[in-house]
Amino acid sequence: MSAAPSAACDTRSNNTYQKLLDCVTLEGVREHQAAFQKIADNSTDPVYPGTRAAGTVGYAESVEYVAGLLRDAGYQVTLDPVEITFNFPAELRQLTPVTADYETGVFTGSGSGEVEGNVIPVDINLTGDRANTSGCEAADFAGIDWSGDADIALVQRGTCFFGDKAYNAEQAGAEAVIIFNQGNTPDREGLIVADATSRTDPANPTGPALFVEHNIPVVGASFADGVALAQAGSTAYVQVLPAETRTDYNVIAELDGKNKDNVVMAGAHLDSVIEGPGINDNGSGSAALLETALMMANLNPENTLRFAWWAAEEQGLVGSADYVAGLSEAERDRIALYMNYDMVGSPNYIFMVYDADESTFEAPVPVPAGSEAIEDVYESYYTAVGEPYDDTEFSGRSDYEAFILAGIPSSGLFTGAETVKTPEQEAIWGGEAGEQFDPCYHLACDTYANVDLHALDVNSDLIAFAMLTFAYSTESVNGVPGKRVPGPKFVLSEAAGPEGTFAGEGAGAALGAVR
């Protein structure tokens, strides 16, 4: 990237690779991240100040910031309304054999209620490698007396979806569920609060998950607090207030191309978690995509361009799922491809591409034909600029899920979340082995300082490069002919191939907290 973009960048058609990559600068991307940080810092939200979480003042002002810049640049901007679930802070207090208040939070999909009663551990493992299937099967709850009117199931993270654990507990007769972290690695020690709306389909265990909502409170706890709650004779108090339905907005920006029936689309989620401002997750993807869009505003492309900033990804991919569900079949058919950018500047990064060709991970979801061609562009670019890369599972665990389930070719970039970097990965990408790819993942310290500038620089260029490539031709993806990008040809190298640092590991080894 150029450190000093030309003054002409905002007014000319940046229709060559050289022009666009000179204009999409790290400085410009960081200005947007600084704006997101300021929005969080200045948020007067009465429940979750200091964040840009769904349903808050901080999110609304993030929408206003992004939409305002895009309108000024000449895009057709639509604020697409999305109903989101707004959860208030929860309470978790142990009453016996010790008295303590514990940090907690509400899992997405939780019911509400106030429960004071016995804590019943379910097939937990507090020793050794702490491997467990706690709560993953209905049989785990068999032989336990759940006939009381205030039974609290204590289950441990591990193996299956959080939604499986909560669903099975409710079916057994529990009145509340505490899910505590696994404790097997440093990244699985702290408080866990995540999405519990996914449940394994009994008829197709390896296929797409079923959606589930719960009628009882489902809250999180750290491993240490789970150990305390697992003591014999433990009783506790759990409170989850009734959630509110609020309206947030996806920001959709469109630039007509000569072919209005062939839409090249890219997106990034705009919301943070309630714990902090979310400047890497996902102010990095949001900022890089925004700067790319602004620098492409004067283009006269072959294909129509559509950029999206999604609401409520942290609540379970709500904004993107709502958007795709609202499209007619004809509108879906217009979308040639979708590219997703969720966490592209992690401070202890490795470069990763969604593994559409399944060279490392067998995908647990359908991979639409043409997705491999998008992956090829990313991988060839990394090779051309001398950056090693690896695969991350093509899992659908970000905003591309709804697109792939609709059969739309998709791919994306990722630099890592809570997974711990290995010595092998440190030798390839630098950073620090033994630390998470993002040590501030879903924490208050995910601030403007929580980024690796080199990773963000390289990926911002690649986001722009891929968008310009497909702006002129998607023939490699869907067979629709276009034309070569104007100007000097950018020579892509044959992709070097993934480094293979996840080979032989469990599915989704590079992903964030999902199970």
Side-chain angles (χ1 to χ4, degrees):
M1 270 185 203
S2 167
S6 165
C9 284
D10 292 334
T11 56
R12 74 186 182 193
S13 175
N14 296 310
N15 61 347
T16 71
Y17 290 121
Q18 182 175 347
K19 287 179 182 178
L20 183 60
L21 297 186
D22 281 348
C23 289
V24 174
T25 66
L26 179 62
E27 178 186 32
V29 174
R30 292 292 277 165
E31 284 180 3
H32 302 312
Q33 287 189 306
F36 292 144
Q37 179 71 62
K38 185 176 180 180
I39 286 168
D41 290 344
N42 293 344
S43 171
T44 58
D45 192 84
V47 181
Y48 299 116
T51 82
R52 300 181 304 104
T56 68
V57 170
Y59 182 78
E61 292 185 350
S62 297
V63 167
E64 183 178 340
Y65 173 78
V66 171
L69 288 177
L70 292 164
R71 287 193 190 100
D72 290 346
Y75 279 92
Q76 304 165 40
V77 177
T78 302
L79 297 186
D80 175 43
V82 181
E83 286 192 350
I84 64 101
T85 300
F86 185 84
N87 288 307
F88 292 88
E91 289 187 45
L92 173 58
R93 184 161 61 250
Q94 187 166 8
L95 307 175
T96 60
V98 297
T99 302
D101 289 317
Y102 297 134
E103 184 183 10
T104 191
V106 183
F107 274 73
T108 303
S110 170
S112 61
E114 187 176 23
V115 180
E116 182 178 321
N118 295 320
V119 177
I120 304 175
V122 179
D123 195 25
I124 64 175
N125 179 12
L126 305 181
T127 61
D129 63 4
R130 295 163 187 166
N132 72 88
T133 58
S134 172
C136 291
E137 305 289 340
D140 294 342
F141 298 83
I144 301 172
D145 182 6
W146 299 99
S147 62
D149 58 4
D151 295 318
I152 302 171
L154 179 68
V155 296
Q156 188 174 6
R157 178 185 185 180
T159 305
C160 62
F161 289 119
F162 299 120
D164 288 331
K165 299 172 187 285
Y167 175 83
N168 290 330
E170 183 176 353
Q171 294 303 303
E175 279 72 41
V177 184
I178 302 168
I179 302 176
F180 70 100
N181 218 339
Q182 189 171 357
N184 57 320
T185 56
D187 58 302
R188 294 197 174 201
E189 293 282 353
L191 169 67
I192 177 67
V193 180
D195 180 10
T197 62
S198 294
R199 180 169 77 87
T200 302
D201 183 354
N204 185 17
T206 61
L210 300 176
F211 178 80
V212 62
E213 289 186 323
H214 312 286
N215 298 305
I216 61 175
V218 183
V219 300
S222 69
F223 176 73
D225 293 346
V227 171
L229 288 161
Q231 297 175 79
S234 179
T235 59
Y237 170 80
V238 174
Q239 183 189 58
V240 174
L241 297 172
E244 286 184 0
T245 298
R246 297 186 176 183
T247 300
D248 272 342
Y249 296 91
N250 297 321
V251 181
I252 311 295
E254 187 150 324
L255 179 66
D256 284 340
K258 296 173 185 175
N259 188 345
K260 294 182 174 56
D261 291 323
N262 201 49
V263 178
V264 173
M265 190 166 184
H269 76 84
L270 188 55
D271 62 314
S272 73
V273 293
I274 60 174
E275 286 77 12
I279 305 304
N280 183 45
D281 184 15
N282 180 38
S284 59
S286 289
L289 191 65
L290 178 57
E291 187 66 2
T292 294
L294 295 176
M295 293 301 106
M296 294 181 74
N298 296 312
L299 205 65
N300 184 24
E302 288 294 302
N303 299 311
T304 293
L305 305 184
R306 187 179 299 165
F307 298 85
W309 288 262
W310 304 116
E313 186 271 353
E314 299 290 3
Q315 292 191 358
L317 317 180
V318 176
S320 54
D322 182 82
Y323 175 80
V324 175
L327 298 175
S328 67
E329 184 174 350
E331 289 170 326
R332 293 182 192 184
D333 289 344
R334 291 180 61 218
I335 302 175
L337 59 92
Y338 173 75
M339 296 175 286
N340 195 64
Y341 303 116
D342 188 353
M343 302 179 67
V344 298
S346 301
N348 197 27
Y349 77 95
I350 70 174
F351 290 120
M352 287 178 278
V353 179
Y354 298 173
D355 188 16
D357 63 10
E358 301 179 88
S359 59
T360 301
F361 300 108
E362 182 179 352
V365 293
V367 180
S371 299
E372 299 94 333
I374 312 170
E375 180 185 8
D376 288 346
V377 168
Y378 293 142
E379 293 182 346
S380 296
Y381 181 89
Y382 278 139
T383 300
V385 298
E387 296 290 346
Y389 63 89
D390 217 330
D391 286 327
T392 188
E393 184 186 62
F394 195 98
S395 64
R397 292 175 190 160
S398 190
D399 286 303
Y400 66 113
E401 180 184 57
F403 291 88
I404 61 177
L405 294 179
I408 296 168
S410 301
S411 193
L413 306 175
F414 182 51
T415 51
E418 64 164 6
T419 298
V420 172
K421 178 173 276 187
T422 66
E424 180 186 10
Q425 290 163 345
E426 179 187 323
I428 298 169
W429 289 282
E432 188 171 352
E435 294 290 334
Q436 294 177 192
F437 295 137
D438 182 352
C440 289
Y441 177 64
H442 284 188
L443 297 175
C445 58
D446 187 6
T447 65
Y448 182 80
N450 187 51
V451 66
D452 183 274
L453 297 180
H454 176 69
L456 186 62
D457 190 347
V458 171
N459 276 339
S460 296
D461 270 351
L462 178 46
I463 288 167
F465 179 90
M467 201 69 186
L468 189 63
T469 297
F470 294 120
Y472 281 91
S473 178
T474 61
E475 188 167 8
S476 64
V477 177
N478 66 351
V480 175
K483 69 178 188 180
R484 190 176 71 83
V485 175
K489 187 175 181 180
F490 190 104
V491 179
L492 284 176
S493 307
E494 181 178 350
E499 293 292 321
T501 63
F502 296 111
E505 297 194 20
L511 293 171
V514 292
R515 296 187 180 187

